[in-house]
mmCIF file of all heavy atoms in Angstrom:
data_model
loop_
_atom_site.group_PDB
_atom_site.id
_atom_site.type_symbol
_atom_site.label_atom_id
_atom_site.label_comp_id
_atom_site.label_asym_id
_atom_site.label_seq_id
_atom_site.Cartn_x
_atom_site.Cartn_y
_atom_site.Cartn_z
ATOM 1 N N THR B 20 252.748 151.991 93.505
ATOM 2 C CA THR B 20 251.874 152.022 92.338
ATOM 3 C C THR B 20 250.676 151.098 92.516
ATOM 4 O O THR B 20 249.565 151.401 92.098
ATOM 5 C CB THR B 20 252.653 151.582 91.080
ATOM 6 O OG1 THR B 20 253.792 152.426 90.935
ATOM 7 C CG2 THR B 20 251.771 151.683 89.857
ATOM 8 N N ALA B 21 250.925 149.982 93.175
ATOM 9 C CA ALA B 21 249.850 149.020 93.369
ATOM 10 C C ALA B 21 248.935 149.438 94.522
ATOM 11 O O ALA B 21 247.980 148.749 94.857
ATOM 12 C CB ALA B 21 250.433 147.639 93.645
ATOM 13 N N GLY B 22 249.266 150.559 95.113
ATOM 14 C CA GLY B 22 248.430 151.035 96.212
ATOM 15 C C GLY B 22 248.728 150.349 97.536
ATOM 16 O O GLY B 22 247.904 150.326 98.439
ATOM 17 N N LEU B 23 249.917 149.799 97.613
ATOM 18 C CA LEU B 23 250.300 149.100 98.840
ATOM 19 C C LEU B 23 251.427 149.864 99.516
ATOM 20 O O LEU B 23 252.409 150.208 98.876
ATOM 21 C CB LEU B 23 250.776 147.682 98.510
ATOM 22 C CG LEU B 23 249.739 146.751 97.871
ATOM 23 C CD1 LEU B 23 250.403 145.478 97.385
ATOM 24 C CD2 LEU B 23 248.647 146.431 98.876
ATOM 25 N N ARG B 24 251.265 150.088 100.770
ATOM 26 C CA ARG B 24 252.319 150.815 101.485
ATOM 27 C C ARG B 24 253.579 149.956 101.516
ATOM 28 O O ARG B 24 253.533 148.797 101.901
ATOM 29 C CB ARG B 24 251.875 151.117 102.909
ATOM 30 C CG ARG B 24 250.892 152.241 102.986
ATOM 31 C CD ARG B 24 251.119 153.127 104.201
ATOM 32 N NE ARG B 24 250.951 152.410 105.443
ATOM 33 C CZ ARG B 24 250.188 152.837 106.448
ATOM 34 N NH1 ARG B 24 249.492 153.953 106.328
ATOM 35 N NH2 ARG B 24 250.118 152.173 107.557
ATOM 36 N N PRO B 25 254.673 150.512 101.109
ATOM 37 C CA PRO B 25 255.921 149.749 101.098
ATOM 38 C C PRO B 25 256.469 149.564 102.506
ATOM 39 O O PRO B 25 257.383 150.262 102.920
ATOM 40 C CB PRO B 25 256.852 150.597 100.241
ATOM 41 C CG PRO B 25 256.320 151.982 100.374
ATOM 42 C CD PRO B 25 254.846 151.867 100.578
ATOM 43 N N THR B 26 255.921 148.646 103.188
ATOM 44 C CA THR B 26 256.394 148.391 104.554
ATOM 45 C C THR B 26 257.616 147.496 104.500
ATOM 46 O O THR B 26 257.888 146.871 103.482
ATOM 47 C CB THR B 26 255.305 147.689 105.366
ATOM 48 O OG1 THR B 26 255.061 146.416 104.781
ATOM 49 C CG2 THR B 26 254.032 148.481 105.369
ATOM 50 N N ARG B 27 258.287 147.453 105.621
ATOM 51 C CA ARG B 27 259.480 146.618 105.714
ATOM 52 C C ARG B 27 259.208 145.225 105.159
ATOM 53 O O ARG B 27 259.889 144.770 104.245
ATOM 54 C CB ARG B 27 259.858 146.475 107.196
ATOM 55 C CG ARG B 27 261.207 146.991 107.566
ATOM 56 C CD ARG B 27 261.502 146.751 109.027
ATOM 57 N NE ARG B 27 261.018 147.825 109.924
ATOM 58 C CZ ARG B 27 261.222 149.119 109.736
ATOM 59 N NH1 ARG B 27 261.864 149.564 108.671
ATOM 60 N NH2 ARG B 27 260.775 150.014 110.606
ATOM 61 N N GLN B 28 258.193 144.575 105.715
ATOM 62 C CA GLN B 28 257.994 143.175 105.340
ATOM 63 C C GLN B 28 257.531 143.019 103.886
ATOM 64 O O GLN B 28 257.959 142.089 103.193
ATOM 65 C CB GLN B 28 257.035 142.445 106.296
ATOM 66 C CG GLN B 28 256.113 143.272 107.133
ATOM 67 C CD GLN B 28 256.750 143.991 108.296
ATOM 68 O OE1 GLN B 28 257.424 145.005 108.086
ATOM 69 N NE2 GLN B 28 256.512 143.528 109.494
ATOM 70 N N ARG B 29 256.740 143.937 103.419
ATOM 71 C CA ARG B 29 256.296 143.811 102.026
ATOM 72 C C ARG B 29 257.468 143.978 101.073
ATOM 73 O O ARG B 29 257.606 143.231 100.086
ATOM 74 C CB ARG B 29 255.192 144.837 101.740
ATOM 75 C CG ARG B 29 253.918 144.512 102.518
ATOM 76 C CD ARG B 29 252.648 144.805 101.760
ATOM 77 N NE ARG B 29 252.124 146.142 101.990
ATOM 78 C CZ ARG B 29 250.886 146.415 102.419
ATOM 79 N NH1 ARG B 29 250.039 145.424 102.704
ATOM 80 N NH2 ARG B 29 250.485 147.641 102.564
ATOM 81 N N VAL B 30 258.306 144.951 101.374
ATOM 82 C CA VAL B 30 259.459 145.157 100.506
ATOM 83 C C VAL B 30 260.369 143.936 100.539
ATOM 84 O O VAL B 30 260.798 143.431 99.497
ATOM 85 C CB VAL B 30 260.249 146.415 100.951
ATOM 86 C CG1 VAL B 30 261.557 146.512 100.198
ATOM 87 C CG2 VAL B 30 259.395 147.660 100.728
ATOM 88 N N SER B 31 260.606 143.442 101.732
ATOM 89 C CA SER B 31 261.487 142.271 101.836
ATOM 90 C C SER B 31 260.920 141.075 101.105
ATOM 91 O O SER B 31 261.632 140.375 100.377
ATOM 92 C CB SER B 31 261.691 141.907 103.308
ATOM 93 O OG SER B 31 262.251 143.005 104.001
ATOM 94 N N LEU B 32 259.648 140.845 101.289
ATOM 95 C CA LEU B 32 259.035 139.697 100.630
ATOM 96 C C LEU B 32 259.095 139.863 99.116
ATOM 97 O O LEU B 32 259.417 138.922 98.387
ATOM 98 C CB LEU B 32 257.586 139.523 101.098
ATOM 99 C CG LEU B 32 257.433 139.081 102.560
ATOM 100 C CD1 LEU B 32 255.969 139.024 102.960
ATOM 101 C CD2 LEU B 32 258.097 137.720 102.788
ATOM 102 N N ALA B 33 258.817 141.052 98.657
ATOM 103 C CA ALA B 33 258.865 141.298 97.221
ATOM 104 C C ALA B 33 260.263 141.033 96.690
ATOM 105 O O ALA B 33 260.438 140.446 95.621
ATOM 106 C CB ALA B 33 258.441 142.730 96.925
ATOM 107 N N GLU B 34 261.253 141.444 97.437
ATOM 108 C CA GLU B 34 262.615 141.206 96.974
ATOM 109 C C GLU B 34 262.928 139.722 96.916
ATOM 110 O O GLU B 34 263.522 139.241 95.958
ATOM 111 C CB GLU B 34 263.615 141.946 97.867
ATOM 112 C CG GLU B 34 263.713 143.413 97.457
ATOM 113 C CD GLU B 34 264.448 144.264 98.473
ATOM 114 O OE1 GLU B 34 264.903 143.718 99.499
ATOM 115 O OE2 GLU B 34 264.556 145.488 98.243
#
Side-chain angles (χ1 to χ4, degrees):
Chain B
T20 304
L23 297 170
R24 284 218 298 230
T26 64
R27 240 182 273 311
Q28 20 286 76
R29 292 217 268 235
V30 171
S31 301
L32 291 176
E34 279 168 1

